[in-house]
Amino acid sequence: MTDRCAELAAGLAEIQARIQSACAYAGRDPGEVRLLAVTKTWPAADVAHLVDLGLTEFAENRDQEAAPKAVELAAARPGAAVRWHMVGHVQRNKTRSIVGWADEVQSVDSPRLAVALAKAVAAARTRGERTEPLSVLLQASLDGDPERGGAVLSDLPELADAVVQSGELILRGVMTVAPRAMLPPAAFELLATAVDRLRKDHPEAIEVSAGMSGDLEAAIAHGSTCVRVGTALLGYRGLASP
Ligand SMILES: *Cc1c(COP(=O)(O)O)cnc(C)c1O
């Protein structure tokens, strides 16, 4: 094992222990909480190490970085069953590229974006570049801050309808990033309430992507089914990085 691989193995063991104990504390089955490794700013070689350590789900926040990384990983670990998730702001002119590498887009925050993604999926299907429909999560904004992206909670039902009506997207649930100005437990509780409401009309919206390196325990306590971890697994990204 290389030093970096050993470092990643240690980070992974620590995160898995945190998920285990957060689940024990919340009385939940750890099998209900998926770990998404957020590999933005880190090289494909790190993703390959994480694949060797048994991880299968990876997330990126920029198409320019993710598209070549997914290609590099496929070359480094041919046949590995990995799934890539887009968790960053999606520019509508990038949808064609994104549907080329992403299995799931967690950051759908407007009906216009849903329509653009659906068109891109249909076009990729026609070209024979994609066979699977695209899974999507609705990104919820808990404080309405446009910088962070996300739809305000009162817009989620309309957004969910747009996703379902698009015909090419599969609604899987919701995602959020806790606002800095809110205590994480309060933020995740607010999200849980919104998800309960959404599920009345869309029972298929089962995924709750919430919790990152700093707040995954609070997210798990409030029903997260998917934690997105970068720093605590791979290290600090440095000041200049997104
Ligand atoms: C970077 C990022 C993460 C991971 O954050 P860490 O604090 O490094 O764990 C999770 N979700 C999104 C949307 C991100 O952009």
Side-chain angles (χ1 to χ4, degrees):
M1 228 190 243
T2 62
D3 285 354
R4 180 57 172 157
C5 192
E7 201 171 271
L8 292 172
L12 178 58
E14 208 167 297
I15 286 295
Q16 283 169 334
R18 282 178 63 188
I19 294 172
Q20 290 274 347
S21 58
C23 284
Y25 189 74
R28 297 186 57 200
D29 172 0
E32 291 172 10
V33 182
R34 298 185 299 144
L35 170 61
L36 215 65
V38 184
T39 49
K40 64 189 182 197
T41 77
W42 300 102
D46 282 354
V47 186
H49 285 318
L50 292 172
V51 168
D52 296 342
L53 292 169
L55 287 192
T56 56
E57 309 222 57
F58 302 96
E60 290 282 329
N61 70 336
R62 290 168 64 240
D63 172 65
Q64 306 88 289
E65 181 182 341
K69 200 180 290 183
V71 171
E72 255 189 88
L73 180 73
R77 294 293 180 277
V82 305
R83 293 187 82 236
W84 287 99
H85 303 255
M86 172 61 171
V87 297
H89 175 67
V90 177
Q91 288 164 288
R92 271 177 294 136
N93 63 355
K94 294 285 170 58
T95 51
R96 176 178 171 156
S97 174
I98 289 169
V99 304
W101 59 267
D103 295 286
E104 177 168 291
V105 175
Q106 297 204 342
S107 40
V108 173
D109 61 359
S110 74
R112 281 195 333 161
L113 175 58
V115 169
L117 280 170
K119 266 194 194 155
V121 170
R125 235 197 251 277
T126 305
R127 291 194 304 271
E129 290 169 13
R130 191 180 176 101
T131 52
E132 300 295 312
L134 185 70
S135 295
V136 307
L137 304 190
L138 312 180
Q139 183 179 351
S141 168
L142 300 176
D143 62 354
D145 178 1
E147 278 291 292
R148 207 173 274 273
V152 295
L153 300 183
S154 57
D155 286 347
L156 290 183
E158 187 196 346
L159 182 53
D161 292 342
V163 165
V164 171
Q165 284 157 16
S166 76
E168 297 283 351
L169 310 178
I170 298 183
L171 177 65
R172 301 268 300 135
V174 298
M175 180 272 264
T176 204
V177 178
R180 280 197 196 90
M182 245 182 189
L183 288 175
F188 297 130
E189 194 178 337
L190 191 58
L191 181 73
T193 308
V195 175
D196 280 345
R197 227 177 291 135
L198 185 68
R199 282 179 186 149
K200 293 208 173 82
D201 288 324
H202 298 281
E204 72 276 26
I206 47 172
E207 204 77 72
V208 180
S209 174
M212 322 199 300
S213 294
D215 57 16
L216 67 89
E217 284 82 0
I220 288 172
H222 291 281
S224 172
T225 63
C226 173
V227 293
R228 309 179 307 271
V229 180
T231 309
L233 184 57
L234 290 123
Y236 285 97
R237 290 182 291 272
L239 288 176
S241 306

